[in-house]
Amino acid sequence: MMAQEDTDATEPPVLDMFDTEADNAESMVCRVCGSLVSASGPYPRAHWDWHETPNGA
């Protein structure tokens, strides 16, 4: 089993696909589809994964 710090080095640049909302630091806008995504928790990664699935946008 890999340690968490080892997997972070191979993670894709998930946050690069988002712009931050100037008015709301807790939300980000997806540059691909325009969706508003919460910046906290697993939401940015879950949104990235959705785009990577065959039925994602």
mmCIF file of all heavy atoms in Angstrom:
data_model
loop_
_atom_site.group_PDB
_atom_site.id
_atom_site.type_symbol
_atom_site.label_atom_id
_atom_site.label_comp_id
_atom_site.label_asym_id
_atom_site.label_seq_id
_atom_site.Cartn_x
_atom_site.Cartn_y
_atom_site.Cartn_z
ATOM 1 N N MET A 1 0.846 -1.186 0.000
ATOM 2 C CA MET A 1 0.000 0.000 0.000
ATOM 3 C C MET A 1 0.888 1.246 0.000
ATOM 4 O O MET A 1 1.818 1.351 0.774
ATOM 5 C CB MET A 1 -0.908 -0.043 1.224
ATOM 6 C CG MET A 1 -1.838 1.119 1.324
ATOM 7 S SD MET A 1 -2.776 0.968 2.845
ATOM 8 C CE MET A 1 -4.336 1.420 2.276
ATOM 9 N N MET A 2 0.571 2.200 -0.869
ATOM 10 C CA MET A 2 1.369 3.418 -0.966
ATOM 11 C C MET A 2 0.932 4.424 0.095
ATOM 12 O O MET A 2 -0.234 4.508 0.448
ATOM 13 C CB MET A 2 1.193 4.061 -2.338
ATOM 14 C CG MET A 2 1.728 3.231 -3.472
ATOM 15 S SD MET A 2 1.453 4.075 -5.023
ATOM 16 C CE MET A 2 2.979 4.976 -5.150
ATOM 17 N N ALA A 3 1.871 5.192 0.555
ATOM 18 C CA ALA A 3 1.550 6.269 1.490
ATOM 19 C C ALA A 3 0.877 7.404 0.734
ATOM 20 O O ALA A 3 1.075 7.569 -0.464
ATOM 21 C CB ALA A 3 2.833 6.766 2.168
ATOM 22 N N GLN A 4 0.089 8.186 1.418
ATOM 23 C CA GLN A 4 -0.648 9.290 0.786
ATOM 24 C C GLN A 4 0.288 10.265 0.080
ATOM 25 O O GLN A 4 0.013 10.713 -1.009
ATOM 26 C CB GLN A 4 -1.485 10.024 1.838
ATOM 27 C CG GLN A 4 -2.280 11.192 1.304
ATOM 28 C CD GLN A 4 -3.352 10.785 0.299
ATOM 29 O OE1 GLN A 4 -3.890 9.684 0.365
ATOM 30 N NE2 GLN A 4 -3.651 11.636 -0.638
ATOM 31 N N GLU A 5 1.445 10.570 0.699
ATOM 32 C CA GLU A 5 2.362 11.518 0.078
ATOM 33 C C GLU A 5 2.954 10.977 -1.225
ATOM 34 O O GLU A 5 3.265 11.735 -2.119
ATOM 35 C CB GLU A 5 3.464 11.967 1.036
ATOM 36 C CG GLU A 5 4.245 10.852 1.677
ATOM 37 C CD GLU A 5 3.619 10.328 2.964
ATOM 38 O OE1 GLU A 5 2.480 10.716 3.304
ATOM 39 O OE2 GLU A 5 4.255 9.520 3.635
ATOM 40 N N ASP A 6 3.069 9.672 -1.376
ATOM 41 C CA ASP A 6 3.569 9.088 -2.609
ATOM 42 C C ASP A 6 2.549 9.202 -3.732
ATOM 43 O O ASP A 6 2.905 9.400 -4.881
ATOM 44 C CB ASP A 6 3.928 7.619 -2.408
ATOM 45 C CG ASP A 6 5.120 7.435 -1.493
ATOM 46 O OD1 ASP A 6 5.914 8.381 -1.344
ATOM 47 O OD2 ASP A 6 5.247 6.340 -0.933
ATOM 48 N N THR A 7 1.257 9.082 -3.433
ATOM 49 C CA THR A 7 0.236 9.164 -4.464
ATOM 50 C C THR A 7 0.021 10.605 -4.918
ATOM 51 O O THR A 7 -0.370 10.834 -6.048
ATOM 52 C CB THR A 7 -1.097 8.577 -3.982
ATOM 53 O OG1 THR A 7 -1.532 9.270 -2.824
ATOM 54 C CG2 THR A 7 -0.964 7.092 -3.699
ATOM 55 N N ASP A 8 0.290 11.576 -4.059
ATOM 56 C CA ASP A 8 0.096 12.977 -4.431
ATOM 57 C C ASP A 8 1.021 13.380 -5.573
ATOM 58 O O ASP A 8 0.664 14.207 -6.400
ATOM 59 C CB ASP A 8 0.318 13.900 -3.231
ATOM 60 C CG ASP A 8 -0.801 13.800 -2.217
ATOM 61 O OD1 ASP A 8 -1.870 13.272 -2.576
ATOM 62 O OD2 ASP A 8 -0.605 14.240 -1.074
ATOM 63 N N ALA A 9 2.199 12.787 -5.656
ATOM 64 C CA ALA A 9 3.152 13.138 -6.704
ATOM 65 C C ALA A 9 2.641 12.710 -8.082
ATOM 66 O O ALA A 9 3.004 13.298 -9.088
ATOM 67 C CB ALA A 9 4.499 12.498 -6.419
ATOM 68 N N THR A 10 1.791 11.698 -8.136
ATOM 69 C CA THR A 10 1.280 11.216 -9.413
ATOM 70 C C THR A 10 -0.122 11.727 -9.716
ATOM 71 O O THR A 10 -0.678 11.404 -10.759
ATOM 72 C CB THR A 10 1.262 9.674 -9.434
ATOM 73 O OG1 THR A 10 0.409 9.208 -8.389
ATOM 74 C CG2 THR A 10 2.657 9.110 -9.265
ATOM 75 N N GLU A 11 -0.698 12.506 -8.831
ATOM 76 C CA GLU A 11 -2.037 13.048 -9.037
ATOM 77 C C GLU A 11 -2.033 14.029 -10.205
ATOM 78 O O GLU A 11 -1.097 14.803 -10.373
ATOM 79 C CB GLU A 11 -2.515 13.793 -7.785
ATOM 80 C CG GLU A 11 -2.900 12.882 -6.646
ATOM 81 C CD GLU A 11 -4.187 12.132 -6.915
ATOM 82 O OE1 GLU A 11 -5.185 12.762 -7.325
ATOM 83 O OE2 GLU A 11 -4.185 10.920 -6.731
ATOM 84 N N PRO A 12 -3.068 14.027 -11.028
ATOM 85 C CA PRO A 12 -3.162 15.024 -12.096
ATOM 86 C C PRO A 12 -3.401 16.405 -11.488
ATOM 87 O O PRO A 12 -3.865 16.524 -10.362
ATOM 88 C CB PRO A 12 -4.369 14.558 -12.908
ATOM 89 C CG PRO A 12 -5.169 13.733 -11.960
ATOM 90 C CD PRO A 12 -4.195 13.127 -10.999
ATOM 91 N N PRO A 13 -3.102 17.445 -12.218
ATOM 92 C CA PRO A 13 -3.286 18.812 -11.696
ATOM 93 C C PRO A 13 -4.769 19.195 -11.687
ATOM 94 O O PRO A 13 -5.228 20.001 -12.493
ATOM 95 C CB PRO A 13 -2.478 19.667 -12.662
ATOM 96 C CG PRO A 13 -2.501 18.877 -13.939
ATOM 97 C CD PRO A 13 -2.523 17.432 -13.547
ATOM 98 N N VAL A 14 -5.521 18.592 -10.772
ATOM 99 C CA VAL A 14 -6.971 18.757 -10.722
ATOM 100 C C VAL A 14 -7.366 20.227 -10.636
ATOM 101 O O VAL A 14 -8.266 20.681 -11.351
ATOM 102 C CB VAL A 14 -7.567 17.967 -9.534
ATOM 103 C CG1 VAL A 14 -9.037 18.269 -9.352
ATOM 104 C CG2 VAL A 14 -7.339 16.480 -9.726
ATOM 105 N N LEU A 15 -6.704 20.983 -9.793
ATOM 106 C CA LEU A 15 -7.115 22.377 -9.577
ATOM 107 C C LEU A 15 -6.841 23.266 -10.784
ATOM 108 O O LEU A 15 -7.398 24.354 -10.877
ATOM 109 C CB LEU A 15 -6.445 22.932 -8.326
ATOM 110 C CG LEU A 15 -6.869 22.239 -7.024
ATOM 111 C CD1 LEU A 15 -6.145 22.869 -5.840
ATOM 112 C CD2 LEU A 15 -8.369 22.287 -6.819
ATOM 113 N N ASP A 16 -6.028 22.804 -11.725
ATOM 114 C CA ASP A 16 -5.749 23.600 -12.924
ATOM 115 C C ASP A 16 -6.973 23.745 -13.823
ATOM 116 O O ASP A 16 -7.018 24.645 -14.657
ATOM 117 C CB ASP A 16 -4.610 22.991 -13.731
ATOM 118 C CG ASP A 16 -3.260 23.155 -13.059
ATOM 119 O OD1 ASP A 16 -3.170 23.899 -12.059
ATOM 120 O OD2 ASP A 16 -2.297 22.534 -13.539
ATOM 121 N N MET A 17 -7.952 22.866 -13.680
ATOM 122 C CA MET A 17 -9.137 22.952 -14.534
ATOM 123 C C MET A 17 -10.206 23.889 -13.975
ATOM 124 O O MET A 17 -11.262 24.035 -14.564
ATOM 125 C CB MET A 17 -9.726 21.561 -14.822
ATOM 126 C CG MET A 17 -10.539 20.951 -13.722
ATOM 127 S SD MET A 17 -11.168 19.305 -14.134
ATOM 128 C CE MET A 17 -12.527 19.656 -15.194
ATOM 129 N N PHE A 18 -9.917 24.557 -12.862
ATOM 130 C CA PHE A 18 -10.892 25.440 -12.220
ATOM 131 C C PHE A 18 -10.394 26.874 -12.130
ATOM 132 O O PHE A 18 -9.206 27.112 -11.945
ATOM 133 C CB PHE A 18 -11.191 24.962 -10.798
ATOM 134 C CG PHE A 18 -11.826 23.604 -10.733
ATOM 135 C CD1 PHE A 18 -11.092 22.498 -10.383
ATOM 136 C CD2 PHE A 18 -13.168 23.439 -11.018
ATOM 137 C CE1 PHE A 18 -11.667 21.238 -10.318
ATOM 138 C CE2 PHE A 18 -13.756 22.192 -10.958
ATOM 139 C CZ PHE A 18 -13.011 21.087 -10.606
ATOM 140 N N ASP A 19 -11.324 27.806 -12.240
ATOM 141 C CA ASP A 19 -11.085 29.205 -11.911
ATOM 142 C C ASP A 19 -11.766 29.458 -10.578
ATOM 143 O O ASP A 19 -12.831 28.902 -10.311
ATOM 144 C CB ASP A 19 -11.713 30.134 -12.957
ATOM 145 C CG ASP A 19 -10.922 30.179 -14.248
ATOM 146 O OD1 ASP A 19 -9.688 30.062 -14.194
ATOM 147 O OD2 ASP A 19 -11.547 30.331 -15.303
ATOM 148 N N THR A 20 -11.171 30.309 -9.759
ATOM 149 C CA THR A 20 -11.807 30.628 -8.483
ATOM 150 C C THR A 20 -12.759 31.799 -8.666
ATOM 151 O O THR A 20 -12.516 32.693 -9.475
ATOM 152 C CB THR A 20 -10.763 30.962 -7.407
ATOM 153 O OG1 THR A 20 -9.944 32.028 -7.882
ATOM 154 C CG2 THR A 20 -9.897 29.765 -7.080
ATOM 155 N N GLU A 21 -13.841 31.759 -7.928
ATOM 156 C CA GLU A 21 -14.816 32.845 -7.936
ATOM 157 C C GLU A 21 -14.265 33.983 -7.077
ATOM 158 O O GLU A 21 -13.907 33.762 -5.921
ATOM 159 C CB GLU A 21 -16.134 32.363 -7.319
ATOM 160 C CG GLU A 21 -16.978 31.547 -8.247
ATOM 161 C CD GLU A 21 -17.833 32.442 -9.114
ATOM 162 O OE1 GLU A 21 -18.611 33.242 -8.584
ATOM 163 O OE2 GLU A 21 -17.683 32.330 -10.324
ATOM 164 N N ALA A 22 -14.195 35.163 -7.595
ATOM 165 C CA ALA A 22 -13.683 36.308 -6.837
ATOM 166 C C ALA A 22 -14.590 36.632 -5.659
ATOM 167 O O ALA A 22 -14.120 37.008 -4.603
ATOM 168 C CB ALA A 22 -13.548 37.518 -7.743
ATOM 169 N N ASP A 23 -15.893 36.456 -5.842
ATOM 170 C CA ASP A 23 -16.854 36.787 -4.796
ATOM 171 C C ASP A 23 -17.002 35.694 -3.745
ATOM 172 O O ASP A 23 -17.472 35.946 -2.659
ATOM 173 C CB ASP A 23 -18.233 37.052 -5.405
ATOM 174 C CG ASP A 23 -18.228 38.246 -6.341
ATOM 175 O OD1 ASP A 23 -17.337 39.110 -6.192
ATOM 176 O OD2 ASP A 23 -19.101 38.299 -7.224
ATOM 177 N N ASN A 24 -16.617 34.475 -4.074
ATOM 178 C CA ASN A 24 -16.846 33.356 -3.173
ATOM 179 C C ASN A 24 -15.626 32.439 -3.190
ATOM 180 O O ASN A 24 -15.464 31.639 -4.098
ATOM 181 C CB ASN A 24 -18.102 32.590 -3.618
ATOM 182 C CG ASN A 24 -18.508 31.528 -2.642
ATOM 183 O OD1 ASN A 24 -17.801 31.236 -1.682
ATOM 184 N ND2 ASN A 24 -19.647 30.931 -2.883
ATOM 185 N N ALA A 25 -14.801 32.521 -2.152
ATOM 186 C CA ALA A 25 -13.573 31.731 -2.092
ATOM 187 C C ALA A 25 -13.849 30.249 -1.876
ATOM 188 O O ALA A 25 -12.963 29.430 -2.033
ATOM 189 C CB ALA A 25 -12.675 32.256 -0.974
ATOM 190 N N GLU A 26 -15.080 29.888 -1.530
ATOM 191 C CA GLU A 26 -15.412 28.489 -1.290
ATOM 192 C C GLU A 26 -15.881 27.775 -2.553
ATOM 193 O O GLU A 26 -16.140 26.578 -2.515
ATOM 194 C CB GLU A 26 -16.477 28.389 -0.205
ATOM 195 C CG GLU A 26 -15.978 28.859 1.145
ATOM 196 C CD GLU A 26 -17.031 28.735 2.223
ATOM 197 O OE1 GLU A 26 -18.028 28.026 1.993
ATOM 198 O OE2 GLU A 26 -16.847 29.335 3.283
ATOM 199 N N SER A 27 -15.984 28.486 -3.667
ATOM 200 C CA SER A 27 -16.454 27.885 -4.913
ATOM 201 C C SER A 27 -15.446 28.100 -6.026
ATOM 202 O O SER A 27 -14.693 29.066 -6.028
ATOM 203 C CB SER A 27 -17.781 28.514 -5.334
ATOM 204 O OG SER A 27 -18.777 28.252 -4.386
ATOM 205 N N MET A 28 -15.457 27.166 -6.976
ATOM 206 C CA MET A 28 -14.612 27.263 -8.155
ATOM 207 C C MET A 28 -15.490 27.000 -9.371
ATOM 208 O O MET A 28 -16.503 26.321 -9.280
ATOM 209 C CB MET A 28 -13.491 26.234 -8.095
ATOM 210 C CG MET A 28 -12.599 26.391 -6.887
ATOM 211 S SD MET A 28 -11.218 25.217 -6.861
ATOM 212 C CE MET A 28 -12.065 23.655 -6.804
ATOM 213 N N VAL A 29 -15.073 27.531 -10.523
ATOM 214 C CA VAL A 29 -15.808 27.333 -11.770
ATOM 215 C C VAL A 29 -14.979 26.435 -12.679
ATOM 216 O O VAL A 29 -13.798 26.704 -12.913
ATOM 217 C CB VAL A 29 -16.089 28.682 -12.471
ATOM 218 C CG1 VAL A 29 -16.797 28.465 -13.788
ATOM 219 C CG2 VAL A 29 -16.897 29.591 -11.564
ATOM 220 N N CYS A 30 -15.600 25.377 -13.182
ATOM 221 C CA CYS A 30 -14.920 24.458 -14.085
ATOM 222 C C CYS A 30 -14.694 25.158 -15.422
ATOM 223 O O CYS A 30 -15.633 25.699 -16.010
ATOM 224 C CB CYS A 30 -15.753 23.190 -14.274
ATOM 225 S SG CYS A 30 -15.022 22.033 -15.447
ATOM 226 N N ARG A 31 -13.469 25.144 -15.905
ATOM 227 C CA ARG A 31 -13.147 25.771 -17.188
ATOM 228 C C ARG A 31 -13.673 24.966 -18.368
ATOM 229 O O ARG A 31 -13.785 25.481 -19.469
ATOM 230 C CB ARG A 31 -11.637 25.916 -17.328
ATOM 231 C CG ARG A 31 -11.044 26.905 -16.367
ATOM 232 C CD ARG A 31 -9.552 26.996 -16.530
ATOM 233 N NE ARG A 31 -9.020 27.950 -15.583
ATOM 234 C CZ ARG A 31 -7.754 28.028 -15.259
ATOM 235 N NH1 ARG A 31 -6.878 27.208 -15.805
ATOM 236 N NH2 ARG A 31 -7.345 28.924 -14.392
ATOM 237 N N VAL A 32 -14.000 23.702 -18.157
ATOM 238 C CA VAL A 32 -14.475 22.840 -19.226
ATOM 239 C C VAL A 32 -15.975 23.018 -19.452
ATOM 240 O O VAL A 32 -16.423 23.230 -20.574
ATOM 241 C CB VAL A 32 -14.152 21.359 -18.929
ATOM 242 C CG1 VAL A 32 -14.727 20.441 -19.989
ATOM 243 C CG2 VAL A 32 -12.649 21.171 -18.790
ATOM 244 N N CYS A 33 -16.769 22.948 -18.374
ATOM 245 C CA CYS A 33 -18.224 22.947 -18.528
ATOM 246 C C CYS A 33 -18.922 24.114 -17.860
ATOM 247 O O CYS A 33 -20.122 24.294 -18.039
ATOM 248 C CB CYS A 33 -18.808 21.627 -18.014
ATOM 249 S SG CYS A 33 -18.678 21.414 -16.221
ATOM 250 N N GLY A 34 -18.195 24.900 -17.070
ATOM 251 C CA GLY A 34 -18.797 26.062 -16.429
ATOM 252 C C GLY A 34 -19.520 25.779 -15.129
ATOM 253 O O GLY A 34 -20.135 26.677 -14.554
ATOM 254 N N SER A 35 -19.457 24.554 -14.640
ATOM 255 C CA SER A 35 -20.130 24.202 -13.390
ATOM 256 C C SER A 35 -19.468 24.873 -12.200
ATOM 257 O O SER A 35 -18.252 25.039 -12.158
ATOM 258 C CB SER A 35 -20.101 22.688 -13.169
ATOM 259 O OG SER A 35 -20.892 22.042 -14.102
ATOM 260 N N LEU A 36 -20.280 25.226 -11.230
ATOM 261 C CA LEU A 36 -19.798 25.756 -9.969
ATOM 262 C C LEU A 36 -19.544 24.575 -9.045
ATOM 263 O O LEU A 36 -20.434 23.750 -8.830
ATOM 264 C CB LEU A 36 -20.841 26.695 -9.366
ATOM 265 C CG LEU A 36 -20.439 27.525 -8.171
ATOM 266 C CD1 LEU A 36 -19.300 28.477 -8.527
ATOM 267 C CD2 LEU A 36 -21.628 28.316 -7.671
ATOM 268 N N VAL A 37 -18.324 24.459 -8.528
ATOM 269 C CA VAL A 37 -17.916 23.318 -7.718
ATOM 270 C C VAL A 37 -17.371 23.821 -6.390
ATOM 271 O O VAL A 37 -16.599 24.779 -6.352
ATOM 272 C CB VAL A 37 -16.826 22.497 -8.450
ATOM 273 C CG1 VAL A 37 -16.336 21.341 -7.610
ATOM 274 C CG2 VAL A 37 -17.342 22.007 -9.796
ATOM 275 N N SER A 38 -17.764 23.168 -5.307
ATOM 276 C CA SER A 38 -17.249 23.516 -3.987
ATOM 277 C C SER A 38 -15.751 23.248 -3.945
ATOM 278 O O SER A 38 -15.272 22.224 -4.433
ATOM 279 C CB SER A 38 -17.954 22.695 -2.913
ATOM 280 O OG SER A 38 -17.363 22.934 -1.648
ATOM 281 N N ALA A 39 -15.002 24.160 -3.337
ATOM 282 C CA ALA A 39 -13.554 24.013 -3.236
ATOM 283 C C ALA A 39 -13.150 23.107 -2.076
ATOM 284 O O ALA A 39 -11.998 22.711 -1.975
ATOM 285 C CB ALA A 39 -12.899 25.385 -3.069
ATOM 286 N N SER A 40 -14.090 22.745 -1.223
ATOM 287 C CA SER A 40 -13.753 21.947 -0.052
ATOM 288 C C SER A 40 -13.987 20.459 -0.297
ATOM 289 O O SER A 40 -14.742 20.062 -1.183
ATOM 290 C CB SER A 40 -14.585 22.400 1.146
ATOM 291 O OG SER A 40 -15.956 22.161 0.894
ATOM 292 N N GLY A 41 -13.319 19.662 0.508
ATOM 293 C CA GLY A 41 -13.525 18.225 0.472
ATOM 294 C C GLY A 41 -13.151 17.587 -0.850
ATOM 295 O O GLY A 41 -12.273 18.057 -1.566
ATOM 296 N N PRO A 42 -13.853 16.523 -1.210
ATOM 297 C CA PRO A 42 -13.508 15.755 -2.405
ATOM 298 C C PRO A 42 -14.155 16.282 -3.688
ATOM 299 O O PRO A 42 -14.001 15.695 -4.743
ATOM 300 C CB PRO A 42 -14.062 14.367 -2.077
ATOM 301 C CG PRO A 42 -15.273 14.664 -1.256
ATOM 302 C CD PRO A 42 -14.874 15.858 -0.406
ATOM 303 N N TYR A 43 -14.863 17.388 -3.622
ATOM 304 C CA TYR A 43 -15.637 17.847 -4.771
ATOM 305 C C TYR A 43 -14.812 18.188 -6.010
ATOM 306 O O TYR A 43 -15.194 17.795 -7.114
ATOM 307 C CB TYR A 43 -16.542 19.010 -4.375
ATOM 308 C CG TYR A 43 -17.545 18.607 -3.341
ATOM 309 C CD1 TYR A 43 -17.438 19.059 -2.039
ATOM 310 C CD2 TYR A 43 -18.583 17.737 -3.653
ATOM 311 C CE1 TYR A 43 -18.344 18.667 -1.075
ATOM 312 C CE2 TYR A 43 -19.493 17.337 -2.705
ATOM 313 C CZ TYR A 43 -19.369 17.804 -1.411
ATOM 314 O OH TYR A 43 -20.270 17.408 -0.463
ATOM 315 N N PRO A 44 -13.680 18.890 -5.895
ATOM 316 C CA PRO A 44 -12.898 19.147 -7.116
ATOM 317 C C PRO A 44 -12.431 17.856 -7.787
ATOM 318 O O PRO A 44 -12.527 17.707 -9.001
ATOM 319 C CB PRO A 44 -11.712 19.982 -6.624
ATOM 320 C CG PRO A 44 -12.202 20.632 -5.379
ATOM 321 C CD PRO A 44 -13.128 19.625 -4.748
ATOM 322 N N ARG A 45 -11.961 16.894 -6.997
ATOM 323 C CA ARG A 45 -11.488 15.624 -7.577
ATOM 324 C C ARG A 45 -12.653 14.829 -8.174
ATOM 325 O O ARG A 45 -12.522 14.224 -9.243
ATOM 326 C CB ARG A 45 -10.766 14.804 -6.511
ATOM 327 C CG ARG A 45 -10.279 13.450 -7.005
ATOM 328 C CD ARG A 45 -9.371 13.642 -8.219
ATOM 329 N NE ARG A 45 -9.180 12.403 -8.927
ATOM 330 C CZ ARG A 45 -8.019 11.921 -9.277
ATOM 331 N NH1 ARG A 45 -6.916 12.582 -8.980
ATOM 332 N NH2 ARG A 45 -7.934 10.802 -9.936
ATOM 333 N N ALA A 46 -13.792 14.830 -7.511
ATOM 334 C CA ALA A 46 -14.958 14.112 -8.033
ATOM 335 C C ALA A 46 -15.400 14.720 -9.362
ATOM 336 O O ALA A 46 -15.757 13.996 -10.294
ATOM 337 C CB ALA A 46 -16.095 14.156 -7.024
ATOM 338 N N HIS A 47 -15.344 16.032 -9.483
ATOM 339 C CA HIS A 47 -15.728 16.686 -10.732
ATOM 340 C C HIS A 47 -14.727 16.335 -11.834
ATOM 341 O O HIS A 47 -15.112 16.059 -12.967
ATOM 342 C CB HIS A 47 -15.834 18.201 -10.539
ATOM 343 C CG HIS A 47 -16.445 18.894 -11.702
ATOM 344 N ND1 HIS A 47 -17.799 18.895 -11.929
ATOM 345 C CD2 HIS A 47 -15.890 19.579 -12.739
ATOM 346 C CE1 HIS A 47 -18.054 19.558 -13.050
ATOM 347 N NE2 HIS A 47 -16.902 19.986 -13.556
ATOM 348 N N TRP A 48 -13.439 16.331 -11.504
ATOM 349 C CA TRP A 48 -12.399 15.929 -12.449
ATOM 350 C C TRP A 48 -12.684 14.511 -12.936
ATOM 351 O O TRP A 48 -12.657 14.239 -14.131
ATOM 352 C CB TRP A 48 -11.030 15.987 -11.775
ATOM 353 C CG TRP A 48 -9.920 15.340 -12.539
ATOM 354 C CD1 TRP A 48 -9.673 13.996 -12.655
ATOM 355 C CD2 TRP A 48 -8.916 15.992 -13.307
ATOM 356 N NE1 TRP A 48 -8.559 13.781 -13.421
ATOM 357 C CE2 TRP A 48 -8.083 14.986 -13.839
ATOM 358 C CE3 TRP A 48 -8.630 17.325 -13.577
ATOM 359 C CZ2 TRP A 48 -6.988 15.278 -14.639
ATOM 360 C CZ3 TRP A 48 -7.533 17.606 -14.372
ATOM 361 C CH2 TRP A 48 -6.727 16.596 -14.890
ATOM 362 N N ASP A 49 -12.947 13.605 -12.007
ATOM 363 C CA ASP A 49 -13.212 12.208 -12.354
ATOM 364 C C ASP A 49 -14.431 12.091 -13.269
ATOM 365 O O ASP A 49 -14.449 11.275 -14.184
ATOM 366 C CB ASP A 49 -13.409 11.362 -11.098
ATOM 367 C CG ASP A 49 -12.116 11.164 -10.324
ATOM 368 O OD1 ASP A 49 -11.023 11.372 -10.897
ATOM 369 O OD2 ASP A 49 -12.204 10.798 -9.139
ATOM 370 N N TRP A 50 -15.439 12.910 -13.040
ATOM 371 C CA TRP A 50 -16.633 12.892 -13.878
ATOM 372 C C TRP A 50 -16.275 13.233 -15.326
ATOM 373 O O TRP A 50 -16.753 12.601 -16.257
ATOM 374 C CB TRP A 50 -17.680 13.867 -13.336
ATOM 375 C CG TRP A 50 -18.895 13.927 -14.187
ATOM 376 C CD1 TRP A 50 -19.907 13.023 -14.255
ATOM 377 C CD2 TRP A 50 -19.228 14.963 -15.123
ATOM 378 N NE1 TRP A 50 -20.850 13.421 -15.162
ATOM 379 C CE2 TRP A 50 -20.456 14.609 -15.712
ATOM 380 C CE3 TRP A 50 -18.603 16.135 -15.517
ATOM 381 C CZ2 TRP A 50 -21.067 15.410 -16.672
ATOM 382 C CZ3 TRP A 50 -19.209 16.914 -16.469
ATOM 383 C CH2 TRP A 50 -20.433 16.544 -17.033
ATOM 384 N N HIS A 51 -15.418 14.217 -15.514
ATOM 385 C CA HIS A 51 -14.982 14.576 -16.865
ATOM 386 C C HIS A 51 -14.162 13.464 -17.506
ATOM 387 O O HIS A 51 -14.147 13.325 -18.729
ATOM 388 C CB HIS A 51 -14.176 15.878 -16.869
ATOM 389 C CG HIS A 51 -15.023 17.102 -16.859
ATOM 390 N ND1 HIS A 51 -15.818 17.466 -17.909
ATOM 391 C CD2 HIS A 51 -15.193 18.063 -15.912
ATOM 392 C CE1 HIS A 51 -16.442 18.604 -17.614
ATOM 393 N NE2 HIS A 51 -16.091 18.975 -16.408
ATOM 394 N N GLU A 52 -13.457 12.690 -16.713
ATOM 395 C CA GLU A 52 -12.594 11.639 -17.224
ATOM 396 C C GLU A 52 -13.358 10.353 -17.576
ATOM 397 O O GLU A 52 -12.829 9.506 -18.269
ATOM 398 C CB GLU A 52 -11.503 11.310 -16.212
ATOM 399 C CG GLU A 52 -10.510 12.437 -16.019
ATOM 400 C CD GLU A 52 -9.686 12.710 -17.261
ATOM 401 O OE1 GLU A 52 -9.105 11.770 -17.823
ATOM 402 O OE2 GLU A 52 -9.640 13.875 -17.680
ATOM 403 N N THR A 53 -14.594 10.203 -17.130
ATOM 404 C CA THR A 53 -15.359 8.996 -17.424
ATOM 405 C C THR A 53 -15.846 9.049 -18.871
ATOM 406 O O THR A 53 -15.994 10.128 -19.454
ATOM 407 C CB THR A 53 -16.569 8.844 -16.497
ATOM 408 O OG1 THR A 53 -17.432 9.964 -16.667
ATOM 409 C CG2 THR A 53 -16.151 8.718 -15.043
ATOM 410 N N PRO A 54 -16.121 7.900 -19.472
ATOM 411 C CA PRO A 54 -16.575 7.873 -20.869
ATOM 412 C C PRO A 54 -17.872 8.643 -21.110
ATOM 413 O O PRO A 54 -18.067 9.170 -22.192
ATOM 414 C CB PRO A 54 -16.786 6.375 -21.151
ATOM 415 C CG PRO A 54 -15.935 5.671 -20.164
ATOM 416 C CD PRO A 54 -15.894 6.557 -18.956
ATOM 417 N N ASN A 55 -18.735 8.722 -20.125
ATOM 418 C CA ASN A 55 -19.985 9.454 -20.315
ATOM 419 C C ASN A 55 -19.921 10.881 -19.766
ATOM 420 O O ASN A 55 -20.920 11.589 -19.772
ATOM 421 C CB ASN A 55 -21.155 8.704 -19.668
ATOM 422 C CG ASN A 55 -20.990 8.551 -18.173
ATOM 423 O OD1 ASN A 55 -19.895 8.686 -17.656
ATOM 424 N ND2 ASN A 55 -22.077 8.236 -17.488
ATOM 425 N N GLY A 56 -18.754 11.328 -19.313
ATOM 426 C CA GLY A 56 -18.576 12.698 -18.818
ATOM 427 C C GLY A 56 -18.473 13.680 -19.980
ATOM 428 O O GLY A 56 -18.279 13.311 -21.128
ATOM 429 N N ALA A 57 -18.623 14.938 -19.662
ATOM 430 C CA ALA A 57 -18.568 15.972 -20.703
ATOM 431 C C ALA A 57 -17.148 16.296 -21.095
ATOM 432 O O ALA A 57 -16.256 16.248 -20.322
ATOM 433 C CB ALA A 57 -19.260 17.225 -20.226
#
